[in-house]
Amino acid sequence: MNATQARAWIALVSLAESLPQALDTQLMTDAGLINFEYGILSVLIAAPHRTLRMGDVASALGSPAPKLSKAVTRLERRDLVERLACPDDGRAINVHLTREGRRAWLAATPSHVLLARDTLLADLDHDDLSQLAALLERVLHRLDPDWELGQVPIQVQPRSRNKEEILVGDQPPEESAGYV
């Protein structure tokens, strides 16, 4: 490994170690969730009828089944999700985002977006962000050739002078909006 590769590697590993802690701290403080739980809610909020098979949630998050099951149990205890029998496959279990889960996601998202945009990415201009995204996507594809950009396309759109509206996927604003 040459000096440039070592510098990039150390930066990448350091980021991989410090980012989850920063996300967990922010989400726990603001919403009582850890990032993995927020990820579950995010995958479900973008799903048709806010419901997915457990296996599909695990795949979307790159999570082993036991880790997902424990997190879903924690979210169930808080009435944020519910497990349902899968009507198409008696062996499968679906996870459904409840109204309370949608409210929790909407409450957590503004400060989560602010952390990403105004703290973590604030010093990067448009070109920097485009380069960063392209480079990270290349690395991700080397680790997982089937990797695709996340399933939850979140857009932050200007709403008024002091607020911005968060839209999720192609859902109507009244069903997906939160404010930042």
Side-chain angles (χ1 to χ4, degrees):
M1 186 176 286
N2 66 36
T4 303
Q5 290 170 324
R7 179 179 171 212
W9 177 249
I10 290 168
L12 186 60
V13 169
S14 297
L15 177 64
E17 291 174 354
S18 60
L19 184 58
Q21 182 178 2
L23 296 174
D24 282 347
T25 298
Q26 176 270 312
L27 283 165
M28 188 54 72
T29 299
D30 295 344
L33 296 166
I34 61 172
N35 192 53
F36 185 68
E37 294 166 341
Y38 178 80
I40 294 168
L41 300 182
S42 296
V43 168
L44 292 173
I45 205 158
H49 308 289
R50 302 206 188 335
T51 303
L52 282 176
R53 288 182 182 193
M54 287 279 283
D56 292 336
V57 176
S59 293
L61 297 173
S63 170
K67 178 181 179 182
L68 177 66
S69 183
K70 288 177 185 177
V72 167
T73 297
R74 288 192 305 270
L75 294 171
E76 264 186 312
R77 288 184 190 132
R78 296 173 57 195
D79 296 321
L80 302 181
V81 300
E82 59 185 346
R83 292 178 210 231
L84 304 170
C86 178
D88 302 330
D89 183 350
R91 300 167 298 165
I93 298 292
N94 285 343
V95 184
H96 173 74
L97 183 71
T98 64
R99 285 179 189 244
E100 193 58 37
R102 181 181 170 274
R103 282 190 207 104
W105 185 89
L106 288 171
T109 298
S111 57
H112 196 59
V113 169
L114 286 174
L115 173 70
R117 185 188 63 198
D118 297 345
T119 303
L120 302 176
L121 303 175
D123 291 338
L124 304 177
D125 65 22
H126 177 77
D127 290 339
D128 292 336
L129 291 169
S130 293
Q131 287 179 337
L132 178 64
L135 292 170
L136 291 173
E137 288 166 356
R138 281 176 45 196
V139 171
L140 286 164
H141 278 285
R142 295 284 294 195
L143 291 172
D144 179 1
D146 297 327
W147 180 85
E148 294 179 23
L149 186 60
Q151 294 184 359
V152 183
I154 296 174
Q155 301 171 10
V156 180
Q157 306 205 354
R159 173 119 172 129
S160 71
R161 180 167 236 196
N162 298 320
K163 288 188 173 183
E164 294 173 317
E165 186 172 51
I166 298 170
L167 302 176
V168 181
D170 56 3
Q171 297 176 12
E174 63 276 5
E175 292 190 24
S176 69
Y179 298 98
V180 133

